[in-house]
Amino acid sequence: MNPGHIKNWLRGGLLALAALQTVASVWQYAFPLSFYDDFPTVSLDPPYNEHLISDIGGLGLALTGMLYFAAWVLDSKVVLSALIGYLIYAATHFTFHVRHFDHFSLLEAVGVGTGLGIEVVLALVLVYIAWRVHRAESAGHRDALR
């Protein structure tokens, strides 16, 4: 597989993550009560806190901006930093939910766990691809300096 083809796949993956994060973050930030009341299973969490939800939405928007920028410039260091940040967020979010299914039905637990797990797996795959691209670019750059 040529590097240009791999970068196209990497860009597509970054844009997919950014789009998913955009939807949730804009909803959390701009309409926190609606997010709490209407997003499936959120109302099963502890009581509503507008400040907390809107702050989380703002942080998600910051992460979204990083993912879009990484997809635009496709600099391997920028891509890796955006993906590592996203992976940390996705993994901690997944971990919280799989440890707090007390009030969830089996279907809700499977749905939430699967959806959040897919985000973690996609981020891990993209980190691996981005790392390979970074190593290949770094090796090519060293060869060009000789």
Side-chain angles (χ1 to χ4, degrees):
M1 194 176 288
N2 70 34
H5 189 68
I6 292 171
K7 280 191 162 188
N8 286 337
W9 279 100
L10 186 58
R11 178 176 279 125
L14 286 163
L15 291 172
L17 290 177
L20 290 170
Q21 191 62 46
T22 298
V23 171
S25 298
V26 168
W27 192 359
Q28 289 167 332
Y29 188 76
F31 308 103
L33 184 56
S34 171
F35 183 84
Y36 181 81
D37 286 341
D38 302 324
F39 193 87
T41 72
V42 170
S43 62
L44 299 173
D45 290 335
Y48 171 72
N49 179 324
E50 180 179 1
H51 180 209
L52 177 62
I53 295 293
S54 64
D55 281 357
I56 294 301
L59 289 170
L61 288 172
L63 185 54
T64 296
M66 291 173 55
L67 291 167
Y68 279 122
F69 182 71
W72 181 45
V73 300
L74 275 186
D75 176 89
S76 61
K77 291 177 185 173
V78 173
V79 168
L80 280 167
S81 65
L83 285 171
I84 290 167
Y86 183 85
L87 178 59
I88 292 166
Y89 162 75
T92 57
H93 190 200
F94 172 80
T95 301
F96 175 85
H97 279 286
V98 298
R99 294 177 56 218
H100 294 88
F101 283 148
D102 301 346
H103 302 294
F104 285 51
S105 70
L106 177 60
L107 184 61
E108 290 167 335
V110 168
V112 170
T114 301
L116 296 176
I118 288 170
E119 290 180 349
V120 173
V121 170
L122 179 57
L124 280 168
V125 168
L126 292 171
V127 166
Y128 173 75
I129 292 168
W131 179 250
R132 300 263 329 243
V133 168
H134 174 70
R135 287 185 51 197
E137 288 177 349
S138 295
H141 181 65
R142 280 193 301 263
D143 292 341
L145 294 175
R146 291 183 184 175

